[in-house]
Amino acid sequence: TTIRTATANKDLTSGQEITSPCTSATTKCNGGAYVGIRQWRYKTTVTLPGTAPDWVFSYTVCCRNCAITTINTPCTNNVSNLYVEATLNNIDEYQHMLHHYIW
């Protein structure tokens, strides 16, 4: 198993608010008092050295807020890491397609 890393940079054109407050409410994203959630995208280009049936692309970040209430069990045993994983088999018929993953 070879582990390689790549740095993903924040897409500065992202940062779109994804909450849906009442029409009369303004969220903290826009200087208001109500909770708001903003989506940020990170992206990079990865050149794979060949084909394989089991590529794994993953990302982990520490210190998720365990007190959030928008999802069930945001933390397990007070471990606040967020982990996201995507897999790729570039041997199959789609091997010549360009793959994009948004994490």
Side-chain angles (χ1 to χ4, degrees):
T1 300
T2 301
I3 298 175
R4 299 172 196 255
T5 60
T7 301
N9 299 306
K10 185 189 294 186
D11 177 357
L12 297 178
T13 62
S14 65
Q16 173 182 332
E17 183 176 5
I18 59 173
T19 47
S20 299
C22 299
T23 56
S24 62
T26 304
T27 68
K28 292 180 181 180
C29 295
N30 296 306
Y34 295 96
V35 174
I37 300 170
R38 192 176 298 268
Q39 175 187 24
W40 292 96
R41 293 184 178 144
Y42 291 79
K43 62 184 175 180
T44 192
T45 299
V46 177
T47 303
L48 301 175
T51 57
D54 55 358
W55 292 103
V56 176
F57 301 90
S58 64
Y59 177 77
T60 188
V61 64
C62 170
C63 309
R64 173 184 218 150
N65 182 348
C66 292
I68 62 174
T69 59
T70 54
I71 60 173
N72 295 329
T73 59
C75 301
T76 304
N77 299 326
N78 287 327
V79 175
S80 59
N81 292 344
L82 171 67
Y83 178 78
V84 179
E85 181 177 287
T87 59
L88 172 68
N89 175 349
N90 66 341
I91 291 178
D92 287 342
E93 63 184 280
Y94 302 108
Q95 69 181 356
H96 300 293
M97 291 179 64
L98 180 63
H99 297 275
H100 293 274
Y101 294 93
I102 297 176
W103 297 344

